[in-house]
Amino acid sequence: MRVMLWMLLATVTATAAAAQRSPQDDVPVIRADVEVVNILATVRDRKGRYVADLSRQDFDVYEDGVKQNIEYFNYESGEQAQPLTIVMLIDTSGSVKDKLRFEQQAASEFLQATLRENVDLAAVIQFDSEVNLVQDFTYDFKTLENAILDIRAGGATMLYDAVFLAVEDLLSGEVGRKVIVILSDGADTQSVITSDQAIRVAQNEDVLIYGIGVRSPGFDSNFDKIREFANSTGGLFFKSKASLQRLREVFAQINQEIKNQYSLGYIPSNPTRDGSFRRISVKVKRSGLKVTHRKGYYAGEPTS
């Protein structure tokens, strides 16, 4: 059953609007409300290949320049990987109507290739003039595929509202690795929520966003905005010509990114929970390797 999420905005907009920006808002961050700080990192060699044989001892983690003790470590691959919860956000506005069938097929193939049976969950949201939950979280791929193939295009674009609601209504109560995949031209025309508010709630809930820019001739696009969502949450952005083959290639890259993450956790040596920004640096002792990760987090909120 398709459930319209739009009415939820009435109860969450006021909370989001109250958020205050800081000088560090252009830096990808996590806001931590617990003692353990978790970091998802990917490591590549000079040729761009993922490096999969590193151990805890190969990493050093620093917070505000102070070395931290890595308490938790896991290579997020195979059966040892933490559960995934993925929300597919599919733009069904009129501006991408002619690309929709490619998106549907490639998105379905991605979920089939990525989800582990009875371990990983996915949900599907379509957004145009409304934000609709087409399929709630399920383990069943066939149910997800049918939901994706059932969506139809038309209307304006409510990208920011869709991201906000995906986090607040679906992902905020989940554990493990939380991912949003956006397929859109990025040209929001009707949202009530601002992009800053949507980014902030995603940061608060430790959600990684992967964006795929899809554009139709004759319509405006804003790929920079989708890139901002990805960069601000530690994900990646991909520009696509929206051919089926290109979309398959992009989804394959996202699949590999998800399956080649290192999870590092530490208890901060600075116990003060004053809401200040803490900058994180992750270094690998082996030479010639590049690490990508979030750059920091907010240490709780000040207490009165």
Side-chain angles (χ1 to χ4, degrees):
M1 178 181 297
R2 181 174 297 175
V3 181
M4 190 169 75
L5 298 177
W6 168 254
M7 295 302 294
L8 292 173
L9 287 170
T11 59
V12 297
T13 301
T15 300
Q20 298 296 315
R21 293 188 60 78
S22 75
Q24 292 87 5
D25 276 354
D26 59 338
V27 180
V29 297
I30 312 166
R31 184 179 298 275
D33 292 317
V34 295
E35 285 188 342
V36 177
V37 176
N38 295 299
I39 309 163
L40 287 175
T42 55
V43 183
R44 297 177 177 83
D45 62 18
R46 289 190 177 95
K47 295 184 178 180
R49 298 172 299 195
Y50 292 106
V51 178
D53 62 345
L54 299 175
S55 67
R56 183 194 309 233
Q57 289 70 34
D58 291 312
F59 290 88
D60 284 330
V61 175
Y62 298 84
E63 179 177 296
D64 289 341
V66 178
K67 188 175 180 180
Q68 305 295 308
N69 184 38
I70 300 173
E71 303 281 354
Y72 307 98
F73 176 86
N74 191 43
Y75 182 53
E76 304 292 354
S77 182
E79 296 305 315
Q80 300 304 312
Q82 297 180 75
L84 276 168
T85 48
I86 301 176
V87 180
M88 296 292 305
L89 289 186
I90 301 178
D91 186 343
T92 52
S93 62
S95 60
V96 297
K97 183 176 181 179
D98 64 327
K99 309 298 183 183
L100 183 57
R101 63 187 181 92
F102 297 142
E103 296 179 21
Q104 290 170 309
Q105 185 170 344
S108 296
E109 293 172 357
F110 164 74
L111 291 179
Q112 186 173 33
T114 303
L115 299 176
R116 293 166 296 172
E117 187 175 2
N118 296 323
V119 176
D120 301 325
L121 292 163
V124 181
I125 288 177
Q126 74 168 86
F127 61 96
D128 42 55
S129 299
E130 298 175 346
V131 180
N132 291 314
L133 177 62
V134 180
Q135 176 58 52
D136 205 344
F137 281 126
T138 179
Y139 295 108
D140 186 66
F141 166 71
K142 195 63 181 177
T143 300
L144 292 163
E145 181 182 41
N146 289 338
I148 291 172
L149 296 178
D150 186 52
I151 61 179
R152 298 292 181 266
T157 307
M158 300 174 69
L159 170 61
Y160 311 153
D161 289 355
V163 172
F164 189 95
L165 290 170
V167 175
E168 285 286 298
D169 193 52
L170 295 179
L171 290 168
S172 62
E174 298 298 322
V175 296
R177 295 175 295 157
K178 297 180 280 190
V179 171
I180 289 176
V181 180
I182 299 172
L183 293 103
S184 177
D185 59 19
D188 192 295
T189 60
Q190 204 167 331
S191 284
V192 174
I193 294 294
T194 68
S195 62
D196 289 339
Q197 291 167 348
I199 288 170
R200 183 170 290 276
V201 296
Q203 291 172 338
N204 289 350
E205 295 295 336
D206 195 14
V207 175
L208 286 95
I209 297 178
Y210 296 99
I212 304 175
V214 181
R215 176 165 49 200
S216 295
F219 289 92
D220 293 333
S221 63
N222 191 352
F223 288 172
D224 286 343
K225 185 57 65 175
I226 308 176
R227 184 180 289 106
E228 182 184 357
F229 275 104
N231 291 344
S232 297
T233 60
L236 296 173
F237 169 78
F238 302 88
K239 185 176 179 180
S240 172
K241 294 181 180 179
S243 69
L244 179 57
Q245 182 56 36
R246 175 55 182 157
L247 283 172
R248 283 171 168 164
E249 292 170 357
V250 167
F251 273 118
Q253 289 178 267
I254 296 174
N255 175 279
Q256 288 302 304
E257 183 79 8
I258 289 172
K259 292 182 177 180
N260 286 279
Q261 295 171 326
Y262 290 93
S263 181
L264 309 168
Y266 69 92
I267 299 173
S269 58
N270 179 359
T272 306
R273 303 180 59 76
D274 56 2
S276 64
F277 179 79
R278 310 283 174 82
R279 190 170 297 276
I280 294 173
S281 175
V282 178
K283 298 181 180 180
V284 179
K285 298 173 184 176
R286 190 184 303 178
S287 63
L289 302 182
K290 179 181 179 181
V291 187
T292 57
H293 62 89
R294 298 183 186 228
K295 300 301 186 286
Y297 74 100
Y298 287 94
E301 298 291 346
T303 56
S304 56

